[in-house]
Amino acid sequence: MSQYHLPFVIHDLQDSQMFALAQAAGRAGFAVQGLASSIEPWIEASRYLDHYHVVPSLGNVIESVYALNLKKAGISGVWLPCVDDIAMFTAEFRCFLQDRGLLHLVASTESMEQSDLSCLQDYDGFLQIPETQWLAWDKLMQALEQLSYPLILKSSRGDFQTFASSQALSCYLNQQEASPLLQRVQYYIEGETSRMATVMLLFDRHGKVVRGFTGRRLQVAETSHGDFGETTVAKAEWIPELYQGAVELLENIGWQGFAEVECKQGEDGRWHVLEINPRVSGWLCLAEADGAGFLQAYHVLCTGGVNLQAACLQRSKCEYIRLLAAGFHQPHWAAGLNQSKISQVLQLLKDAYQVWKRSPQRMGGAFDALDKKASQAMLLANIRKYLS
């Protein structure tokens, strides 16, 4: 078999984003294999997955145990790192994966460390780097008056909070138990969600960009502290100056593989970097639907040994809508919702699912299983208008 026919290997297929990516790769004509931490009806129902192995997620075991499970699975192909911890694992276990036939392209651990905004405070380029630092709890308490406000405290995923003044932050900290974890403190760029945009890039082994895509966020899932959750509505929109700025920034630190650069435009029109992620973006399905060609390019870079020219192929025609079904994204307005309205919305979704599903016999239970697994508190933020 030619190496060009090697399958994509996608981890954590129990996650909706990774499963959607596997479906996108299958529809694009690639063979797909994968890993999952649990057997789910929608995984078994997929007609694009050749086969998959049940192994623990990296978040549940140490890296060496995860590597051992990969070895025992005996799976090989083009490895696609889709989350930050897998990207770091891939960089650290580069030779181990390569020796077992899992071809990949990812930034080095050094580049990942340099991409933390706290390490880019002296960067002077088109994209602006907001004041960002990591502070221990006691140091944060001592630095209240020296910090720039408004700021956003990124304690943990799903727990982002903004503070307009030192008094507000002090009041919050005094109500909490001291944490042993470092706190990420960043100057907050104010403005509507539509001022946020993402640049998705793919670099070759020589640090040259080969594919790019830009898209604008329209809506994000609301958490208990505000609109800081996952993107639920977005559109493909070509923003050339944002693309060029992101390329310049990442070339400066010798990037390889995928990168997602999250940005926000300030009131003065300047673009500020919010975060740099060293992996496939959750927006990849949108990018591929819009013609960006990342999957094919990545496969060629991993298996073909050929040079690709830089190209941005998007058409800026597609929109992205994502339904969230997890208690992790519980908005503050969900607590008092009428349960009958929740049931009505879920029934609407089930009816819509019935329209397009391919095989009633094979896939009939998949949506029901999702409903039962999701808690009632997980109300889908992007259908909030139906619940008012």
Side-chain angles (χ1 to χ4, degrees):
M1 178 182 294
S2 167
Q3 61 180 356
Y4 289 97
H5 293 92
L6 287 174
F8 272 114
V9 178
I10 300 175
H11 58 86
D12 291 310
L13 290 172
Q14 75 283 347
D15 183 281
S16 62
Q17 285 189 298
M18 269 66 95
F19 180 72
L21 180 56
Q23 297 292 94
R27 287 193 296 272
F30 293 99
V32 183
Q33 298 178 13
L35 307 168
S37 62
S38 58
I39 301 175
E40 305 293 351
W42 52 92
I43 297 177
E44 293 185 307
S46 173
R47 60 193 178 97
Y48 295 116
L49 279 171
D50 291 346
H51 65 269
Y52 66 95
H53 299 265
V54 178
V55 300
S57 293
L58 180 56
N60 296 325
V61 295
I62 59 175
E63 289 182 331
S64 58
V65 172
Y66 189 76
L68 179 61
N69 280 313
L70 282 179
K71 180 180 179 180
K72 288 184 175 180
I75 199 167
S76 63
V78 177
W79 176 252
L80 201 58
C82 302
V83 295
D84 292 346
D85 60 347
I86 289 288
M88 183 64 76
F89 166 84
T90 302
E92 293 176 348
F93 284 73
R94 186 187 304 268
C95 294
F96 174 88
L97 296 173
Q98 201 78 23
D99 290 346
R100 278 147 191 82
L102 287 167
L103 309 181
H104 58 274
L105 181 57
V106 72
S108 66
T109 54
E110 293 78 14
S111 292
M112 292 184 197
E113 290 170 357
Q114 292 174 37
S115 69
D116 190 287
L117 298 195
S118 64
C119 298
L120 292 170
Q121 294 298 290
D122 295 329
Y123 176 74
D124 183 19
F126 174 78
L127 295 182
Q128 307 300 300
I129 308 297
E131 181 180 322
T132 306
Q133 54 187 313
W134 292 84
L135 294 172
W137 192 268
D138 59 336
K139 297 294 184 182
L140 178 57
M141 294 289 286
Q142 296 171 16
L144 291 176
E145 298 299 332
Q146 287 73 49
L147 297 173
S148 299
Y149 295 87
L151 62 75
I152 182 167
L153 185 64
K154 299 181 176 181
S155 301
S156 62
R157 187 184 177 202
D159 194 27
F160 294 0
Q161 296 187 60
T162 58
F163 300 91
S165 66
S166 59
Q167 293 79 11
L169 180 55
S170 175
C171 181
Y172 167 77
L173 294 174
N174 286 321
Q175 294 174 355
Q176 310 298 314
E177 290 186 13
S179 171
L181 301 176
L182 290 174
Q183 309 294 308
R184 182 165 53 161
V185 183
Q186 186 177 97
Y187 180 74
Y188 180 64
I189 310 302
E190 297 183 289
E192 299 297 321
T193 298
S194 59
R195 287 183 174 271
M196 300 174 68
T198 287
V199 187
M200 188 172 166
L201 300 169
L202 175 61
F203 291 81
D204 65 17
R205 297 185 189 280
H206 307 292
K208 300 298 182 183
V209 68
V210 297
R211 292 292 181 270
F213 170 86
T214 59
R216 187 176 296 275
R217 297 189 185 193
L218 300 180
Q219 186 171 307
V220 295
E222 186 178 350
T223 68
S224 57
H225 299 303
D227 294 334
F228 303 121
E230 304 274 356
T231 300
T232 54
V233 182
K235 66 176 181 178
E237 179 183 333
W238 178 235
I239 310 173
E241 70 275 14
L242 197 57
Y243 164 78
Q244 293 292 346
V247 170
E248 176 191 275
L249 173 59
L250 289 176
E251 284 183 342
N252 187 62
I253 54 180
W255 203 262
Q256 296 179 22
F258 282 103
E260 176 193 37
V261 184
E262 299 181 10
C263 301
K264 190 170 185 179
Q265 193 170 30
E267 296 293 340
D268 59 358
R270 305 180 79 180
W271 285 97
H272 302 258
V273 180
L274 303 181
E275 201 167 80
I276 300 173
N277 296 308
R279 37 89 173 149
V280 170
S281 166
W283 295 42
L284 183 58
C285 290
L286 169 62
E288 290 300 281
D290 202 61
F294 280 102
L295 286 173
Q296 183 183 41
Y298 182 76
H299 199 282
V300 168
L301 290 177
C302 290
T303 63
V306 299
N307 295 324
L308 296 177
Q309 297 299 313
C312 297
L313 307 175
Q314 72 179 82
R315 299 169 299 153
S316 297
K317 300 288 186 182
C318 291
E319 295 183 347
Y320 170 93
I321 298 175
R322 181 184 177 205
L323 302 182
L324 296 174
F328 175 78
H329 297 283
Q330 180 178 351
H332 62 77
W333 48 264
L337 285 174
N338 187 301
Q339 294 299 308
S340 66
K341 289 188 177 182
I342 296 173
S343 299
Q344 291 172 17
V345 171
L346 292 176
Q347 187 59 52
L348 285 172
L349 293 174
K350 291 168 71 174
D351 291 343
Y353 179 81
Q354 296 292 331
V355 173
W356 62 262
K357 71 179 186 180
R358 178 178 173 83
S359 170
Q361 311 271 314
R362 191 177 180 193
M363 297 187 68
F367 200 86
D368 289 336
L370 268 173
D371 292 346
K372 292 172 184 175
K373 186 175 181 182
S375 70
Q376 291 299 311
M378 60 71 174
L379 273 302
L380 312 173
N382 54 321
I383 53 173
R384 179 181 180 182
K385 61 182 179 179
Y386 295 112
L387 302 173
S388 59

